[in-house]
Amino acid sequence: VSTQSTWGAGVLNIISGYGPTAGEPLALHPDVKKIAFTGSTAVGQKVMIAAATNLKKVTMELGGKSPNIIFDDADIDQAIRWSTSGIFFNHGQCCSAGSRIFVQEGIYDKFVAKFVEHASNIKLGAQFDTEANHGPLVDELQFNRVMNYFANAKSEGVNVACGGTRVGEKGYFVAPTLFSDVKDEATVAREEIFGPVACAFKFKTEEEVIERAINTPYGLAAAIFTTNLNRALRVERALEAGTVWVNCYNAFDPRIPFGGYKMSGFGKELGEAGLDGYLQSKAVRINISGQ
């Protein structure tokens, strides 16, 4: 696309490589004035350390453990559609994935049953398989990480509602997974897995779920499902997240800024606010009084 554009040579340069050989030199180089990094929190911290050597501007879009809150007055079928796509989009390899699903106790059992039914109907296959809904994880390293989380969940006694296994003997295919009745302190409830793995939690009150939802070092995104607009606005104000969706999930728009709170980073992508990281203000005052 760039070669067919009128941008001119050198406007767009693509450098492929690994962090130590490609990313780190860019972050360290004094001629690079701005770094926009999307990736894990751990690597984001390394980028900031490198960029600090010459104080270049940095914006970070990092990891997440995003809460998805389902109140008992929600349209449950709508909530299922968006919640499953919210965690299984790109086979869970998405920084804003709705991996912590809080469901009010009045509809908890029904929600979990419907979620399991939907997840069980997802067909895995190669990217060119027109009948497949989901592909594999990106590589062996990420596949092994997810498998290790499954082993850890088993050792901690976490209940598996569906999935929790690999699919087939070839490739890095992982079954869409839901852990149910999860305790907040479980490893799979605290750490970003970056795979098709969700945890379901039961809650009683609005106040309780807000406290539990924000009890995380991350703050990239969140969602609320309810038919009560006043409740939605009240809860979204209390959530510590850069993006909050109401009755939808991963509903992006290029006009709306996206970025995180806390350990999920700083700065924005998209929208007018997304330009701020590439701009610099200058104040000029001219004395025309002759004094």
Side-chain angles (χ1 to χ4, degrees), residues 63-85:
K65 196 70 177 175
S66 300
N68 179 13
I69 302 171
I70 320 293
F71 286 99
D72 57 12
D73 67 333
D75 179 330
I76 193 166
D77 291 326
Q78 179 189 56
I80 289 292
R81 287 195 306 272
W82 286 102
S83 297
T84 50
S85 66

mmCIF file of all heavy atoms in Angstrom, residues 63-85:
data_model
loop_
_atom_site.group_PDB
_atom_site.id
_atom_site.type_symbol
_atom_site.label_atom_id
_atom_site.label_comp_id
_atom_site.label_asym_id
_atom_site.label_seq_id
_atom_site.Cartn_x
_atom_site.Cartn_y
_atom_site.Cartn_z
ATOM 1 N N GLY A 63 -0.845 -4.496 28.921
ATOM 2 C CA GLY A 63 -1.702 -5.630 29.225
ATOM 3 C C GLY A 63 -2.978 -5.263 29.950
ATOM 4 O O GLY A 63 -3.207 -4.118 30.331
ATOM 5 N N GLY A 64 -3.818 -6.275 30.146
ATOM 6 C CA GLY A 64 -5.086 -6.050 30.836
ATOM 7 C C GLY A 64 -5.639 -7.322 31.441
ATOM 8 O O GLY A 64 -5.241 -8.432 31.097
ATOM 9 N N LYS A 65 -6.528 -7.141 32.375
ATOM 10 C CA LYS A 65 -7.318 -8.227 32.961
ATOM 11 C C LYS A 65 -8.713 -7.655 33.163
ATOM 12 O O LYS A 65 -9.187 -7.439 34.275
ATOM 13 C CB LYS A 65 -6.690 -8.686 34.282
ATOM 14 C CG LYS A 65 -7.197 -10.041 34.768
ATOM 15 C CD LYS A 65 -6.702 -11.183 33.906
ATOM 16 C CE LYS A 65 -7.173 -12.526 34.453
ATOM 17 N NZ LYS A 65 -6.793 -13.637 33.566
ATOM 18 N N SER A 66 -9.372 -7.388 32.057
ATOM 19 C CA SER A 66 -10.532 -6.513 32.037
ATOM 20 C C SER A 66 -11.790 -7.163 32.615
ATOM 21 O O SER A 66 -12.126 -8.299 32.256
ATOM 22 C CB SER A 66 -10.800 -6.040 30.609
ATOM 23 O OG SER A 66 -9.683 -5.333 30.112
ATOM 24 N N PRO A 67 -12.500 -6.440 33.488
ATOM 25 C CA PRO A 67 -13.743 -6.950 34.055
ATOM 26 C C PRO A 67 -14.939 -6.719 33.127
ATOM 27 O O PRO A 67 -15.065 -5.660 32.502
ATOM 28 C CB PRO A 67 -13.897 -6.124 35.345
ATOM 29 C CG PRO A 67 -13.248 -4.820 35.017
ATOM 30 C CD PRO A 67 -12.112 -5.143 34.085
ATOM 31 N N ASN A 68 -15.788 -7.723 33.048
ATOM 32 C CA ASN A 68 -17.024 -7.655 32.270
ATOM 33 C C ASN A 68 -18.156 -7.968 33.240
ATOM 34 O O ASN A 68 -18.269 -9.093 33.732
ATOM 35 C CB ASN A 68 -16.957 -8.678 31.136
ATOM 36 C CG ASN A 68 -18.209 -8.689 30.290
ATOM 37 O OD1 ASN A 68 -19.048 -7.794 30.376
ATOM 38 N ND2 ASN A 68 -18.369 -9.716 29.468
ATOM 39 N N ILE A 69 -18.981 -6.970 33.538
ATOM 40 C CA ILE A 69 -19.962 -7.072 34.619
ATOM 41 C C ILE A 69 -21.362 -7.281 34.048
ATOM 42 O O ILE A 69 -21.857 -6.450 33.277
ATOM 43 C CB ILE A 69 -19.926 -5.810 35.500
ATOM 44 C CG1 ILE A 69 -18.511 -5.609 36.066
ATOM 45 C CG2 ILE A 69 -20.947 -5.908 36.619
ATOM 46 C CD1 ILE A 69 -18.324 -4.267 36.771
ATOM 47 N N ILE A 70 -22.004 -8.383 34.432
ATOM 48 C CA ILE A 70 -23.334 -8.722 33.937
ATOM 49 C C ILE A 70 -24.329 -8.619 35.095
ATOM 50 O O ILE A 70 -24.310 -9.446 36.018
ATOM 51 C CB ILE A 70 -23.383 -10.163 33.366
ATOM 52 C CG1 ILE A 70 -22.114 -10.492 32.566
ATOM 53 C CG2 ILE A 70 -24.655 -10.359 32.558
ATOM 54 C CD1 ILE A 70 -21.929 -9.722 31.303
ATOM 55 N N PHE A 71 -25.182 -7.608 35.075
ATOM 56 C CA PHE A 71 -26.201 -7.465 36.115
ATOM 57 C C PHE A 71 -27.413 -8.326 35.777
ATOM 58 O O PHE A 71 -27.645 -8.675 34.609
ATOM 59 C CB PHE A 71 -26.600 -5.994 36.277
ATOM 60 C CG PHE A 71 -25.554 -5.171 36.969
ATOM 61 C CD1 PHE A 71 -24.670 -4.382 36.241
ATOM 62 C CD2 PHE A 71 -25.444 -5.182 38.351
ATOM 63 C CE1 PHE A 71 -23.692 -3.620 36.877
ATOM 64 C CE2 PHE A 71 -24.477 -4.425 38.998
ATOM 65 C CZ PHE A 71 -23.603 -3.644 38.264
ATOM 66 N N ASP A 72 -28.190 -8.656 36.807
ATOM 67 C CA ASP A 72 -29.280 -9.608 36.594
ATOM 68 C C ASP A 72 -30.447 -9.052 35.782
ATOM 69 O O ASP A 72 -31.351 -9.804 35.414
ATOM 70 C CB ASP A 72 -29.775 -10.198 37.926
ATOM 71 C CG ASP A 72 -30.236 -9.140 38.915
ATOM 72 O OD1 ASP A 72 -30.389 -7.964 38.514
ATOM 73 O OD2 ASP A 72 -30.445 -9.497 40.099
ATOM 74 N N ASP A 73 -30.434 -7.740 35.489
ATOM 75 C CA ASP A 73 -31.480 -7.185 34.632
ATOM 76 C C ASP A 73 -31.031 -7.105 33.172
ATOM 77 O O ASP A 73 -31.750 -6.596 32.316
ATOM 78 C CB ASP A 73 -31.882 -5.788 35.121
ATOM 79 C CG ASP A 73 -30.769 -4.760 34.950
ATOM 80 O OD1 ASP A 73 -29.581 -5.161 34.950
ATOM 81 O OD2 ASP A 73 -31.069 -3.562 34.816
ATOM 82 N N ALA A 74 -29.837 -7.632 32.883
ATOM 83 C CA ALA A 74 -29.304 -7.553 31.516
ATOM 84 C C ALA A 74 -30.077 -8.472 30.573
ATOM 85 O O ALA A 74 -30.693 -9.455 30.994
ATOM 86 C CB ALA A 74 -27.832 -7.943 31.516
ATOM 87 N N ASP A 75 -30.038 -8.137 29.301
ATOM 88 C CA ASP A 75 -30.517 -9.036 28.250
ATOM 89 C C ASP A 75 -29.476 -10.151 28.154
ATOM 90 O O ASP A 75 -28.386 -9.949 27.616
ATOM 91 C CB ASP A 75 -30.635 -8.271 26.930
ATOM 92 C CG ASP A 75 -31.112 -9.142 25.769
ATOM 93 O OD1 ASP A 75 -30.835 -10.353 25.773
ATOM 94 O OD2 ASP A 75 -31.741 -8.585 24.849
ATOM 95 N N ILE A 76 -29.790 -11.330 28.679
ATOM 96 C CA ILE A 76 -28.774 -12.374 28.830
ATOM 97 C C ILE A 76 -28.254 -12.881 27.488
ATOM 98 O O ILE A 76 -27.058 -13.179 27.345
ATOM 99 C CB ILE A 76 -29.312 -13.523 29.701
ATOM 100 C CG1 ILE A 76 -28.145 -14.442 30.129
ATOM 101 C CG2 ILE A 76 -30.407 -14.306 28.984
ATOM 102 C CD1 ILE A 76 -28.511 -15.392 31.236
ATOM 103 N N ASP A 77 -29.097 -12.958 26.472
ATOM 104 C CA ASP A 77 -28.623 -13.413 25.164
ATOM 105 C C ASP A 77 -27.674 -12.401 24.542
ATOM 106 O O ASP A 77 -26.667 -12.770 23.919
ATOM 107 C CB ASP A 77 -29.810 -13.674 24.236
ATOM 108 C CG ASP A 77 -30.625 -14.890 24.657
ATOM 109 O OD1 ASP A 77 -30.018 -15.855 25.177
ATOM 110 O OD2 ASP A 77 -31.859 -14.871 24.485
ATOM 111 N N GLN A 78 -27.990 -11.126 24.711
ATOM 112 C CA GLN A 78 -27.078 -10.080 24.240
ATOM 113 C C GLN A 78 -25.752 -10.155 24.992
ATOM 114 O O GLN A 78 -24.671 -10.056 24.393
ATOM 115 C CB GLN A 78 -27.712 -8.701 24.459
ATOM 116 C CG GLN A 78 -26.838 -7.541 24.031
ATOM 117 C CD GLN A 78 -27.417 -6.197 24.480
ATOM 118 O OE1 GLN A 78 -27.655 -5.993 25.671
ATOM 119 N NE2 GLN A 78 -27.654 -5.305 23.531
ATOM 120 N N ALA A 79 -25.832 -10.349 26.289
ATOM 121 C CA ALA A 79 -24.621 -10.435 27.102
ATOM 122 C C ALA A 79 -23.757 -11.623 26.699
ATOM 123 O O ALA A 79 -22.523 -11.528 26.671
ATOM 124 C CB ALA A 79 -24.988 -10.521 28.581
ATOM 125 N N ILE A 80 -24.375 -12.747 26.385
ATOM 126 C CA ILE A 80 -23.632 -13.929 25.950
ATOM 127 C C ILE A 80 -22.915 -13.655 24.634
ATOM 128 O O ILE A 80 -21.729 -13.980 24.469
ATOM 129 C CB ILE A 80 -24.570 -15.143 25.806
ATOM 130 C CG1 ILE A 80 -25.034 -15.641 27.183
ATOM 131 C CG2 ILE A 80 -23.895 -16.265 25.026
ATOM 132 C CD1 ILE A 80 -23.936 -16.254 28.017
ATOM 133 N N ARG A 81 -23.608 -13.063 23.673
ATOM 134 C CA ARG A 81 -22.994 -12.787 22.364
ATOM 135 C C ARG A 81 -21.752 -11.920 22.516
ATOM 136 O O ARG A 81 -20.689 -12.227 21.958
ATOM 137 C CB ARG A 81 -24.009 -12.093 21.439
ATOM 138 C CG ARG A 81 -25.104 -12.977 20.913
ATOM 139 C CD ARG A 81 -25.815 -12.319 19.736
ATOM 140 N NE ARG A 81 -26.321 -10.987 20.046
ATOM 141 C CZ ARG A 81 -27.516 -10.736 20.572
ATOM 142 N NH1 ARG A 81 -28.332 -11.740 20.858
ATOM 143 N NH2 ARG A 81 -27.907 -9.500 20.813
ATOM 144 N N TRP A 82 -21.887 -10.833 23.253
ATOM 145 C CA TRP A 82 -20.781 -9.902 23.385
ATOM 146 C C TRP A 82 -19.688 -10.438 24.312
ATOM 147 O O TRP A 82 -18.492 -10.194 24.078
ATOM 148 C CB TRP A 82 -21.271 -8.546 23.886
ATOM 149 C CG TRP A 82 -21.997 -7.753 22.861
ATOM 150 C CD1 TRP A 82 -23.352 -7.589 22.753
ATOM 151 C CD2 TRP A 82 -21.434 -6.999 21.795
ATOM 152 N NE1 TRP A 82 -23.655 -6.788 21.685
ATOM 153 C CE2 TRP A 82 -22.496 -6.405 21.075
ATOM 154 C CE3 TRP A 82 -20.123 -6.759 21.369
ATOM 155 C CZ2 TRP A 82 -22.289 -5.593 19.969
ATOM 156 C CZ3 TRP A 82 -19.916 -5.943 20.259
ATOM 157 C CH2 TRP A 82 -20.993 -5.374 19.574
ATOM 158 N N SER A 83 -20.077 -11.164 25.352
ATOM 159 C CA SER A 83 -19.085 -11.671 26.311
ATOM 160 C C SER A 83 -18.210 -12.752 25.694
ATOM 161 O O SER A 83 -17.000 -12.802 25.946
ATOM 162 C CB SER A 83 -19.783 -12.212 27.561
ATOM 163 O OG SER A 83 -20.484 -11.187 28.234
ATOM 164 N N THR A 84 -18.809 -13.629 24.894
ATOM 165 C CA THR A 84 -18.007 -14.665 24.241
ATOM 166 C C THR A 84 -17.081 -14.055 23.192
ATOM 167 O O THR A 84 -15.907 -14.427 23.100
ATOM 168 C CB THR A 84 -18.906 -15.745 23.602
ATOM 169 O OG1 THR A 84 -19.912 -15.118 22.788
ATOM 170 C CG2 THR A 84 -19.585 -16.584 24.677
ATOM 171 N N SER A 85 -17.585 -13.107 22.429
ATOM 172 C CA SER A 85 -16.700 -12.455 21.453
ATOM 173 C C SER A 85 -15.665 -11.599 22.177
ATOM 174 O O SER A 85 -14.528 -11.442 21.691
ATOM 175 C CB SER A 85 -17.511 -11.601 20.475
ATOM 176 O OG SER A 85 -18.117 -10.498 21.130
#
